[in-house]
PDB file of all heavy atoms in Angstrom:
ATOM      1  N   ASN A  15      44.705   2.421   8.205  1.00 87.00           N
ATOM      2  CA  ASN A  15      44.823   2.702   6.732  1.00 87.00           C
ATOM      3  C   ASN A  15      45.490   1.572   5.976  1.00 87.00           C
ATOM      4  O   ASN A  15      46.333   1.744   5.137  1.00 87.00           O
ATOM      5  CB  ASN A  15      45.401   4.050   6.419  1.00 87.00           C
ATOM      6  CG  ASN A  15      46.769   4.118   7.103  1.00 87.00           C
ATOM      7  OD1 ASN A  15      47.169   3.217   7.823  1.00 87.00           O
ATOM      8  ND2 ASN A  15      47.513   5.221   6.924  1.00 87.00           N
ATOM      9  N   LEU A  16      44.986   0.330   6.216  1.00 96.00           N
ATOM     10  CA  LEU A  16      45.467  -0.804   5.437  1.00 96.00           C
ATOM     11  C   LEU A  16      44.347  -1.098   4.358  1.00 96.00           C
ATOM     12  O   LEU A  16      43.186  -0.724   4.516  1.00 96.00           O
ATOM     13  CB  LEU A  16      45.574  -2.051   6.277  1.00 96.00           C
ATOM     14  CG  LEU A  16      46.599  -2.037   7.510  1.00 96.00           C
ATOM     15  CD1 LEU A  16      46.624  -3.360   8.201  1.00 96.00           C
ATOM     16  CD2 LEU A  16      47.972  -1.715   7.029  1.00 96.00           C
ATOM     17  N   ASP A  17      44.815  -1.765   3.282  1.00 97.00           N
ATOM     18  CA  ASP A  17      43.844  -2.126   2.249  1.00 97.00           C
ATOM     19  C   ASP A  17      43.347  -3.544   2.524  1.00 97.00           C
ATOM     20  O   ASP A  17      44.076  -4.514   2.386  1.00 97.00           O
ATOM     21  CB  ASP A  17      44.558  -2.080   0.938  1.00 97.00           C
ATOM     22  CG  ASP A  17      43.574  -2.440  -0.228  1.00 97.00           C
ATOM     23  OD1 ASP A  17      42.336  -2.589   0.104  1.00 97.00           O
ATOM     24  OD2 ASP A  17      44.037  -2.556  -1.360  1.00 97.00           O
ATOM     25  N   PHE A  18      42.159  -3.623   3.148  1.00 98.00           N
ATOM     26  CA  PHE A  18      41.665  -4.906   3.577  1.00 98.00           C
ATOM     27  C   PHE A  18      40.957  -5.728   2.480  1.00 98.00           C
ATOM     28  O   PHE A  18      40.641  -6.936   2.684  1.00 98.00           O
ATOM     29  CB  PHE A  18      40.686  -4.695   4.694  1.00 98.00           C
ATOM     30  CG  PHE A  18      41.297  -4.043   5.967  1.00 98.00           C
ATOM     31  CD1 PHE A  18      41.094  -2.638   6.265  1.00 98.00           C
ATOM     32  CD2 PHE A  18      42.040  -4.866   6.782  1.00 98.00           C
ATOM     33  CE1 PHE A  18      41.685  -2.189   7.353  1.00 98.00           C
ATOM     34  CE2 PHE A  18      42.611  -4.295   7.906  1.00 98.00           C
ATOM     35  CZ  PHE A  18      42.461  -2.968   8.203  1.00 98.00           C
ATOM     36  N   ALA A  19      40.705  -5.138   1.301  1.00 97.00           N
ATOM     37  CA  ALA A  19      39.921  -5.804   0.293  1.00 97.00           C
ATOM     38  C   ALA A  19      40.560  -7.142  -0.120  1.00 97.00           C
ATOM     39  O   ALA A  19      41.737  -7.216  -0.379  1.00 97.00           O
ATOM     40  CB  ALA A  19      39.752  -4.919  -0.949  1.00 97.00           C
ATOM     41  N   HIS A  20      39.814  -8.166  -0.237  1.00 96.00           N
ATOM     42  CA  HIS A  20      40.274  -9.553  -0.664  1.00 96.00           C
ATOM     43  C   HIS A  20      41.369 -10.117   0.248  1.00 96.00           C
ATOM     44  O   HIS A  20      42.117 -10.923  -0.160  1.00 96.00           O
ATOM     45  CB  HIS A  20      40.745  -9.496  -2.145  1.00 96.00           C
ATOM     46  CG  HIS A  20      39.741  -8.784  -3.041  1.00 96.00           C
ATOM     47  ND1 HIS A  20      38.517  -9.300  -3.302  1.00 96.00           N
ATOM     48  CD2 HIS A  20      39.828  -7.650  -3.781  1.00 96.00           C
ATOM     49  CE1 HIS A  20      37.860  -8.455  -4.024  1.00 96.00           C
ATOM     50  NE2 HIS A  20      38.641  -7.440  -4.373  1.00 96.00           N
ATOM     51  N   LYS A  21      41.462  -9.504   1.416  1.00 98.00           N
ATOM     52  CA  LYS A  21      42.480 -10.085   2.354  1.00 98.00           C
ATOM     53  C   LYS A  21      41.843 -10.661   3.528  1.00 98.00           C
ATOM     54  O   LYS A  21      40.634 -10.320   3.895  1.00 98.00           O
ATOM     55  CB  LYS A  21      43.406  -8.970   2.835  1.00 98.00           C
ATOM     56  CG  LYS A  21      44.116  -8.296   1.689  1.00 98.00           C
ATOM     57  CD  LYS A  21      45.625  -8.528   1.776  1.00 98.00           C
ATOM     58  CE  LYS A  21      46.405  -8.009   0.569  1.00 98.00           C
ATOM     59  NZ  LYS A  21      46.394  -6.490   0.488  1.00 98.00           N
ATOM     60  N   LYS A  22      42.550 -11.446   4.235  1.00 98.00           N
ATOM     61  CA  LYS A  22      42.073 -12.049   5.559  1.00 98.00           C
ATOM     62  C   LYS A  22      42.830 -11.324   6.646  1.00 98.00           C
ATOM     63  O   LYS A  22      44.054 -11.201   6.563  1.00 98.00           O
ATOM     64  CB  LYS A  22      42.399 -13.512   5.619  1.00 98.00           C
ATOM     65  CG  LYS A  22      41.503 -14.358   4.702  1.00 98.00           C
ATOM     66  CD  LYS A  22      41.918 -15.767   4.660  1.00 98.00           C
ATOM     67  CE  LYS A  22      41.006 -16.365   3.557  1.00 98.00           C
ATOM     68  NZ  LYS A  22      41.689 -17.254   2.715  1.00 98.00           N
ATOM     69  N   THR A  23      42.088 -10.770   7.577  1.00 98.00           N
ATOM     70  CA  THR A  23      42.677 -10.002   8.672  1.00 98.00           C
ATOM     71  C   THR A  23      42.422 -10.724  10.002  1.00 98.00           C
ATOM     72  O   THR A  23      41.260 -10.937  10.328  1.00 98.00           O
ATOM     73  CB  THR A  23      42.138  -8.580   8.775  1.00 98.00           C
ATOM     74  OG1 THR A  23      42.354  -7.985   7.450  1.00 98.00           O
ATOM     75  CG2 THR A  23      42.857  -7.782   9.821  1.00 98.00           C
ATOM     76  N   LEU A  24      43.466 -10.925  10.676  1.00 98.00           N
ATOM     77  CA  LEU A  24      43.400 -11.526  12.064  1.00 98.00           C
ATOM     78  C   LEU A  24      43.214 -10.438  13.030  1.00 98.00           C
ATOM     79  O   LEU A  24      44.112  -9.467  13.050  1.00 98.00           O
ATOM     80  CB  LEU A  24      44.770 -12.253  12.342  1.00 98.00           C
ATOM     81  CG  LEU A  24      44.854 -13.004  13.635  1.00 98.00           C
ATOM     82  CD1 LEU A  24      43.837 -14.132  13.791  1.00 98.00           C
ATOM     83  CD2 LEU A  24      46.273 -13.506  13.846  1.00 98.00           C
ATOM     84  N   VAL A  25      42.144 -10.312  13.834  1.00 98.00           N
ATOM     85  CA  VAL A  25      41.808  -9.130  14.642  1.00 98.00           C
ATOM     86  C   VAL A  25      41.782  -9.613  16.060  1.00 98.00           C
ATOM     87  O   VAL A  25      41.015 -10.476  16.475  1.00 98.00           O
ATOM     88  CB  VAL A  25      40.470  -8.517  14.279  1.00 98.00           C
ATOM     89  CG1 VAL A  25      40.306  -7.235  15.027  1.00 98.00           C
ATOM     90  CG2 VAL A  25      40.444  -8.227  12.712  1.00 98.00           C
ATOM     91  N   ARG A  26      42.730  -9.026  16.870  1.00 98.00           N
ATOM     92  CA  ARG A  26      42.650  -9.337  18.346  1.00 98.00           C
ATOM     93  C   ARG A  26      41.708  -8.384  18.967  1.00 98.00           C
ATOM     94  O   ARG A  26      41.986  -7.179  18.909  1.00 98.00           O
ATOM     95  CB  ARG A  26      44.034  -9.193  19.015  1.00 98.00           C
ATOM     96  CG  ARG A  26      44.122  -9.425  20.502  1.00 98.00           C
ATOM     97  CD  ARG A  26      43.599 -10.729  20.902  1.00 98.00           C
ATOM     98  NE  ARG A  26      44.087 -11.160  22.238  1.00 98.00           N
ATOM     99  CZ  ARG A  26      43.427 -10.989  23.409  1.00 98.00           C
ATOM    100  NH1 ARG A  26      42.210 -10.407  23.462  1.00 98.00           N
ATOM    101  NH2 ARG A  26      43.900 -11.407  24.522  1.00 98.00           N
ATOM    102  N   VAL A  27      40.569  -8.846  19.521  1.00 97.00           N
ATOM    103  CA  VAL A  27      39.586  -7.982  20.185  1.00 97.00           C
ATOM    104  C   VAL A  27      39.549  -8.392  21.622  1.00 97.00           C
ATOM    105  O   VAL A  27      40.170  -9.397  22.055  1.00 97.00           O
ATOM    106  CB  VAL A  27      38.175  -8.211  19.540  1.00 97.00           C
ATOM    107  CG1 VAL A  27      38.149  -7.576  18.197  1.00 97.00           C
ATOM    108  CG2 VAL A  27      37.794  -9.662  19.491  1.00 97.00           C
ATOM    109  N   ASP A  28      38.870  -7.498  22.441  1.00 95.00           N
ATOM    110  CA  ASP A  28      38.677  -7.863  23.886  1.00 95.00           C
ATOM    111  C   ASP A  28      37.178  -8.255  23.989  1.00 95.00           C
ATOM    112  O   ASP A  28      36.320  -7.297  24.148  1.00 95.00           O
ATOM    113  CB  ASP A  28      39.035  -6.659  24.757  1.00 95.00           C
ATOM    114  CG  ASP A  28      38.783  -6.939  26.225  1.00 95.00           C
ATOM    115  OD1 ASP A  28      38.335  -8.015  26.495  1.00 95.00           O
ATOM    116  OD2 ASP A  28      38.987  -5.966  27.034  1.00 95.00           O
ATOM    117  N   PHE A  29      36.892  -9.464  23.894  1.00 96.00           N
ATOM    118  CA  PHE A  29      35.529  -9.904  24.118  1.00 96.00           C
ATOM    119  C   PHE A  29      35.433 -10.626  25.422  1.00 96.00           C
ATOM    120  O   PHE A  29      34.614 -11.555  25.700  1.00 96.00           O
ATOM    121  CB  PHE A  29      35.131 -10.960  23.024  1.00 96.00           C
ATOM    122  CG  PHE A  29      34.734 -10.347  21.741  1.00 96.00           C
ATOM    123  CD1 PHE A  29      34.475 -11.159  20.611  1.00 96.00           C
ATOM    124  CD2 PHE A  29      34.685  -8.975  21.478  1.00 96.00           C
ATOM    125  CE1 PHE A  29      34.087 -10.674  19.378  1.00 96.00           C
ATOM    126  CE2 PHE A  29      34.357  -8.420  20.273  1.00 96.00           C
ATOM    127  CZ  PHE A  29      34.043  -9.277  19.201  1.00 96.00           C
ATOM    128  N   ASN A  30      36.168 -10.102  26.435  1.00 94.00           N
ATOM    129  CA  ASN A  30      36.124 -10.708  27.774  1.00 94.00           C
ATOM    130  C   ASN A  30      34.932 -10.077  28.528  1.00 94.00           C
ATOM    131  O   ASN A  30      35.000  -9.282  29.373  1.00 94.00           O
ATOM    132  CB  ASN A  30      37.461 -10.333  28.463  1.00 94.00           C
ATOM    133  CG  ASN A  30      37.504 -10.984  29.785  1.00 94.00           C
ATOM    134  OD1 ASN A  30      36.885 -11.991  30.085  1.00 94.00           O
ATOM    135  ND2 ASN A  30      38.286 -10.390  30.703  1.00 94.00           N
ATOM    136  N   VAL A  31      33.726 -10.614  28.089  1.00 93.00           N
ATOM    137  CA  VAL A  31      32.536 -10.039  28.701  1.00 93.00           C
ATOM    138  C   VAL A  31      32.022 -10.864  29.824  1.00 93.00           C
ATOM    139  O   VAL A  31      32.277 -12.052  29.938  1.00 93.00           O
ATOM    140  CB  VAL A  31      31.394 -10.040  27.560  1.00 93.00           C
ATOM    141  CG1 VAL A  31      31.673  -8.987  26.507  1.00 93.00           C
ATOM    142  CG2 VAL A  31      31.270 -11.381  26.878  1.00 93.00           C
TER     143      VAL A  31
END
Side-chain angles (χ1 to χ4, degrees):
N15 52 358
L16 299 180
D17 181 6
F18 294 103
H20 312 296
K21 301 246 172 67
K22 290 174 184 137
T23 304
L24 182 65
V25 187
R26 176 58 158 97
V27 286
D28 177 2
F29 281 176
N30 185 24
V31 289

